[in-house]
Amino acid sequence: MQDMLEQLNAEQRQAVTATEGFVRVIAGAGSGKTRALAHRFAYLVNEAGILPGNILCVTFTNKSAAEMRQRIHRLTGDNDAGYICTFHSFCVSVLQEDSHAVQYPKRFLVLDNADIDAMLQTIYEERGLTLRHMTFSKARDMIEIRKIFKEPAYYRDMLAMPLETLHEKYRNAVDADDIIFYGYLYQEKKCFGLDYNDLIQFTLYIFEQNEDIRLKWQQRLEYIMIDEFQDIDELQYKLMEVLCGYHKNLFIVGDPDQTIYTWRGANVRYLLDFDKAFPGCKTIMMMRNYRSTPQILRAVNALIGKNAHRIKKDLIPVLPEGGPVVFHHAVSAEKEAAWIADRIEALVQQGVPYRDIAILYRAHYVTRTLEEVFLKRELPYTIYSGAQFFDRREIKDALSYLRMIAYRDDLSFQRIANVPKRNLGEKRMRFLKSYAEQNGCSLYEALQRSIEDSLFNTAPVKKFIRLIETFAADYAGKPVSEVLSALLNQSGYEEMLRTEGSQERLDNLAELKQSVYEYENSCGEECTLEDYLSHVALFSNSDTAERRNAVKLMTVHTAKGLEFPYVFLCSLCEGVFPSTKTKTMPAMEEERRLAFVAMTRAEKGLCLSDNEGRNVDGSSRVPSRFIFDIDRPLLEYTAELQDSLVKEAKDHIRFTERQFAALAQGPSFAAGDRVAHAIFGEGTIEEIDPEAAVYTIRFDDIPTPRRISFRVPLRKCGG
């Protein structure tokens, strides 16, 4: 074991051997925290003689847990890895052992999103709800918000109420929210199902109500270790407090600069204030970075240093000097993708395998131009946690609509004839297939010929035929981009996505429209719909099988916890990264932490890039503030930015920061207040929109009301 300790640096050894009491490790990116956790577990087993089954080691993903178990097995040789798992997996273990305390069977059902959606489908059908009332995605969010924030004691009713009483509460509900919520609780109880929120709530309830069971688990878990502590939420924190209540041995590891899940309930204050909650806690700083070159670390230290709410610390380089961190500004997304491809080809010529290269981005829709360039150049790539752009459902649907008006082919028809819903379900499609086969015609022709049949003589079906025929007769000579926009609008497809609340899919469609427009510009007047469909078929029919030696494309969230020799962080544009949805200063600090996470994935080389053009919301693109956050000498620009572009970017940044300040300040007046404006004179506040940080004011001398930003000074005056 001594040999193993000698492999660790001083801070890691300190963490490994600090076995007793409350220990907080602030571990910077690439500092070897996973190594320290695994070695600490092995130290407790091999040297201290603690049984693996008496140690709880919590990670935040099942993948991380599996990797941790492998590491520990190699260090201990023991097949018993104890409780190395996520919080939810641990709660499943508790409930499987002690579910009798809540009258649940040992074989209860753990619900995933697909299970929840199936339950919602049943509820919607029973009570006549549609997606216009609420999409499934919003329904799941609503249920989670009610369980966590609005009705945190829901589980007590769920446990105490007889099934019939809960069913009656569901049947008597009138409001859509109540119908969905109580219907869901009823469905859960009926099948003994528990979702992720329930797992922790039920476990806490058992511990609260049954002292013997609580004490059993407290005594069993002699040592508790928790990784990624910056991502812990309120319920997980409560569970941790209970579990360490007997032996009082709690070891936590985290990095406040890598807090990127506040939207999921994570609260970094639990890490920052750990020493106040647990007096006498020992804090160990692990800042030595073994992953990245000094050049990369100097850049990321400068970036994250711009966040105000953090523990001030810098990553300390251990590796020798490497190459510069490169920044490239491109005049278009296509030029940016071409530059990245050029750099990758140069690396490959130097002997770097494709698998050592990762391209990271804020949102999946930015992959479109990358994929087009990579396919043309035959560069192998794999997209993680997301389908290739032209394989995404909404993209295939949109292209099928275009193919329908050009070719009326069966594949396209089957894909979109009932999307959105047009009463062309399985029964009617079987009829059409049989008719087409007997009469030697296409499915669309079969529908046209059968339209007077009572089976098909419906308004939605007739409207679909009119749509296809109108566009088919009129698309020739029109820009494809114009045809596509009109088709998606008049078909009701975009409206369907808006009703579903599928913003990511709408963003992807906006990117497709942009790609068509760019293709038209590159082709000139010769571009026809048929030309475009032939062009795009090259991409949609490409080999999408995952390849071992391929460039990895993924979002920054997906990349967390991973590392790559060479990293390209692309589309560093205002409105993309940081996201246009960022509306407050705390949210902007989270975006900056996300950029920090992205850049710290790089070991040997880091390239940053942006592009001009327009965002999916129509705003013009300027370089991201995160480029300007890094001191100029720390980046190697491929070319200097034009002064006008720098000014435009910095003006935009100043404007958004003033907006953030106004939002943070909140309204200074109430609806009904009389106020004076320096230009418009006196008026009355009619409405207040705190989210947009604006007052709606009807001024005495102006016939129509005006929306005035919080940031503009107003003076209260008499009414």
Side-chain angles (χ1 to χ4, degrees), residues 116-117 120 124 131 133-146 176-177 180-181 184 500:
I116 296 170
D117 285 355
L120 291 172
Y124 279 42
L131 294 176
H133 289 97
M134 195 179 302
T135 65
F136 284 2
S137 173
K138 286 186 176 173
R140 289 197 303 270
D141 289 345
M142 181 272 292
I143 291 166
E144 186 167 9
I145 288 166
R146 283 184 71 153
D177 280 28
I180 293 166
F181 185 66
Y184 176 69
E500 289 175 0

Side-chain angles (χ1 to χ4, degrees), residues 692-712:
V694 296
Y695 303 104
T696 300
I697 304 176
R698 186 171 290 279
F699 292 101
D700 299 348
D701 299 328
I702 301 176
T704 55
R706 296 290 185 270
R707 285 165 59 84
I708 305 297
S709 169
F710 287 178
R711 69 178 186 277
V712 173

